[in-house]
Amino acid sequence: MTILEKFSHLRVAYEQLRSLGSDPFTVRFDGVLSPTEGLREGRRTILFGTNNYLGLTFDPSCIEAGIEALMQSGTGTTGSRIANGSYDAHTRLEQALADFYGRRRGMVFTTGYQANLGIISTVVGKGDYLILDADSHASIYDGARLGTAQVIRFRHNDPEDLRKRLARLPQAGNKLIVVEGIYSMMGDTAPLREIAQVKAEAGAYLLVDEAHSLGVLGRQGRGLAEAAGVEADVDFIVGTFSKTLGSIGGFCVSDLPDFDVLRVACRPYMFTASLPPTLVASTLQALNRLQSDPGLRARLLSNSRRFHSGLDRLGFRLGADATPIVAVVLEDRDLAVAFWNRLLEAGLYVNLALPPATPDGSAILRSSVSAAHTVQQIDTAIGLFAAVGEELGVLSPRPLAAMA
Amino acid sequence: MHALDALEERIVAELRAVVDPNIEISRNTDISRDLGLDSLTIMNFVMKLEDAFDLSIPLERLPEIQTVADLAKTIRDIQAKV
Ligand SMILES: Cc1ncc(COP(=O)(O)O)c(C=O)c1O
């Protein structure tokens, strides 16, 4: 054994997973044909685990914008914003995001992970407090570890528990509460109205990570804060370009008048290369598409409802009400692995999520629905879930009467 | 073996609720290594203790805690500061 000995428990777990068939770490697509279809081992596979909520990865206008920027400005920036300067497109994207959210300032990061890492580790410091939902994404926990504030967790989606934990803290010190719009594993949304209330009473700040809710929730697609009508109580919105907007990158918008000081204080912003112009351009165009075509969101919503109610009617235990993230919760890990393998063999790709990456130690088959899914693809997916569910004894065989 | 003080008794009582009854628990028991608990159970256990003592154990202090005695010491430190 080597210096990596400390990971032997991970190696054992991983080998066990591999012995049961394919595993998510080695699934390889030989080609991706559209937002909803890939080629795997020579056959077409329906993609239901891509977070491609509006299906914009193949949008012709986004592709064209990307190509144009690629030809005009080259393949990369080869350095950070503070070292090599900003391209015009970086500033335009920041302005477009701020405008979209109706905020004063916006800041773009190279990934969503870095946006959380940077903002969370920087806006609170020594003598301050970070109060995190216990089921927060790894990027939020890592931001907490990088920073110097004291870190407190509250029970997932429990405003009363948050209130209680805030009450235990001393008066002095800034307090930043961090929650997510839609939680990435179970697809549940935060009770944001109640959380905003607690935040206001405690005189704390509130950050909402809208990674999975941008373009999904709210009349204009601004996310949960808009849908819950509490945007004025949210001090920082963080998000990513890697899901709804179909590219890569992250951002934070805010109304703080001195927000821009973060550009010289926030290390995960300062010490990494900035986004290549081609990605900035396709992201900008995706943001345009999101705003100019509300039909995309309407389609996403109706697809989500169709998929969710199809699985619900079959009798699966589901993680939450219909959002584009639909989690089928299974009895145990081995069953989830077997189920996932059978679906993949049958031509359906979903996400396999196992503890410790999942809440409550549950084993989950996580699907994400896209506006680009056809009704036929959704019904095929439901049919495959039904067939494998029966085969593996998760569902009892359907009585004939129910099949009509 | 060292006798348990009242705080340690309380911690052990909370642990008994989640640990296999055949496993012995002393003040030197390593909470994450010796008890067969997953990280989620440990987190819930810590939250229960926080509620029981009406205090917060910051995440960054968890690495200093291995044994029941360590945990009691950390709680005592935090109580002394409030
Ligand atoms: C809730 C949440 N926040 C942040 C991120 C990080 O985003 P990115 O993939 O852009 O780094 C993700 C996705 O991985 C996420 O699910």
Side-chain angles (χ1 to χ4, degrees):
Chain A
M1 266 316 234
T2 68
I3 192 167
L4 302 180
E5 163 83 50
K6 56 185 170 290
F7 296 120
S8 56
H9 63 291
L10 290 181
R11 196 165 41 89
V12 169
Y14 182 46
E15 275 161 14
Q16 199 187 348
L17 183 59
R18 294 196 68 167
S19 72
L20 297 168
S22 294
D23 75 89
F25 304 106
T26 52
V27 167
R28 203 189 77 225
F29 292 100
D30 304 312
V32 176
L33 308 171
S34 76
T36 59
E37 255 191 335
L39 267 184
R40 192 186 144 270
E41 292 178 2
R43 62 174 300 185
R44 284 170 177 266
T45 301
I46 307 178
L47 305 176
F48 256 85
T50 57
N51 308 313
N52 199 347
Y53 299 121
L54 298 186
L56 290 176
T57 48
F58 282 79
D59 181 274
S61 71
C62 297
I63 292 176
E64 202 178 307
I67 291 175
E68 198 177 307
L70 182 63
M71 302 303 282
Q72 253 176 33
S73 310
T75 53
T77 65
T78 63
S80 71
R81 299 271 292 273
I82 54 164
N84 294 22
S86 295
Y87 287 36
D88 171 55
H90 292 128
T91 341
R92 273 192 293 125
L93 180 55
E94 284 171 341
Q95 193 55 53
L97 286 161
D99 291 347
F100 174 58
Y101 283 96
R103 304 270 173 170
R104 262 189 246 183
R105 294 275 181 270
M107 192 167 159
V108 163
F109 291 80
T110 307
T111 65
Y113 176 88
Q114 283 159 299
N116 271 335
L117 202 63
I119 296 295
I120 292 170
S121 67
T122 312
V123 302
V124 276
K126 261 212 169 359
D128 295 335
Y129 297 89
L130 250 177
I131 304 99
L132 312 181
D133 184 288
D135 285 356
S136 289
H137 188 260
S139 56
I140 295 171
Y141 274 107
D142 289 357
R145 284 170 62 168
L146 183 64
T148 51
Q150 287 205 34
V151 187
I152 312 289
R153 286 166 304 178
F154 66 97
R155 288 180 207 279
H156 175 56
N157 274 355
D158 187 340
E160 269 319 303
D161 195 62
L162 170 64
R163 186 193 307 272
K164 194 170 67 186
R165 281 163 206 283
L166 279 165
R168 281 181 199 147
L169 300 178
Q171 279 288 318
N174 290 310
K175 282 127 197 142
L176 177 68
I177 302 164
V178 180
V179 300
E180 294 173 31
I182 297 180
Y183 282 85
S184 58
M185 285 296 154
M186 288 296 192
D188 49 340
T189 52
L192 201 57
R193 222 183 281 238
E194 292 82 353
I195 287 172
Q197 172 91 34
V198 174
K199 170 251 171 174
E201 285 166 20
Y205 290 82
L206 177 59
L207 181 154
V208 181
D209 178 353
E210 303 265 21
H212 294 271
S213 33
L214 162 61
V216 174
L217 300 179
R219 278 179 70 85
Q220 309 297 325
R222 291 200 295 261
L224 181 64
E226 185 196 5
V230 295
E231 286 177 292
D233 290 305
V234 178
D235 303 277
F236 303 95
I237 301 252
V238 169
T240 173
F241 308 148
S242 73
K243 304 179 197 301
T244 298
L245 299 179
S247 64
I248 194 167
F251 69 90
C252 178
V253 295
S254 173
D255 270 334
L256 288 189
D258 49 354
F259 185 70
D260 279 335
V261 75
L262 287 172
R263 293 186 199 275
V264 291
C266 179
R267 299 171 65 87
Y269 171 86
M270 297 160 69
F271 297 107
T272 192
S274 61
L275 283 173
T278 172
L279 290 174
V280 175
S282 48
T283 303
L284 252 169
Q285 180 54 21
L287 190 60
N288 284 339
R289 292 282 288 120
L290 186 168
Q291 293 176 84
S292 61
D293 188 354
L296 288 172
R297 200 156 56 259
R299 208 142 56 234
L300 173 63
L301 197 69
S302 89
N303 281 352
S304 303
R305 289 210 185 104
R306 186 180 189 93
F307 187 62
H308 186 276
S309 70
L311 293 186
D312 190 36
R313 245 180 290 128
L314 288 170
F316 283 108
R317 211 178 116 207
L318 302 182
D321 292 344
T323 67
I325 299 174
V326 181
V328 170
V329 183
L330 292 168
E331 208 54 38
D332 64 58
R333 171 189 178 96
D334 287 356
L335 184 60
V337 174
F339 205 125
W340 181 84
N341 267 286
R342 292 289 296 112
L343 288 178
L344 191 61
E345 286 158 22
L348 177 65
Y349 174 77
V350 301
N351 305 126
L352 173 64
L354 300 172
T358 51
D360 297 333
S362 42
I364 298 173
L365 298 174
R366 173 193 183 272
S367 306
S368 50
V369 180
S370 171
H373 282 127
T374 62
V375 165
Q376 198 180 14
Q377 285 176 320
I378 292 171
D379 292 348
T380 303
I382 296 170
L384 289 171
F385 264 97
V388 177
E390 280 178 37
E391 181 192 321
L392 296 181
V394 179
L395 302 174
S396 39
R398 277 177 294 175
L400 279 177
M403 293 179 64
Chain B
M1 211 195 303
H2 240 337
L4 297 176
D5 66 28
L7 181 53
E8 290 163 352
E9 288 277 13
R10 180 66 196 264
I11 294 170
V12 170
E14 289 290 349
L15 279 173
R16 290 242 179 269
V18 287
V19 169
D20 180 332
N22 297 318
I23 297 179
E24 247 189 75
I25 308 176
S26 77
R27 65 190 304 273
N28 295 321
T29 298
D30 185 315
I31 296 170
S32 67
R33 197 192 56 203
D34 299 342
L35 298 177
L37 301 176
D38 58 41
S39 56
L40 180 79
T41 310
I42 292 181
M43 193 186 92
N44 284 335
F45 155 72
V46 170
M47 283 188 150
K48 258 170 104 181
L49 279 184
E50 289 177 328
D51 287 345
F53 293 105
D54 196 25
L55 49 75
S56 294
I57 305 174
L59 212 56
E60 65 277 7
R61 296 199 65 163
L62 295 185
E64 76 192 37
I65 302 168
Q66 283 182 7
T67 64
V68 170
D70 293 338
L71 178 54
K73 181 177 177 307
T74 301
I75 291 177
R76 227 173 263 123
D77 283 354
I78 293 171
Q79 282 174 328
K81 281 215 193 91
V82 178

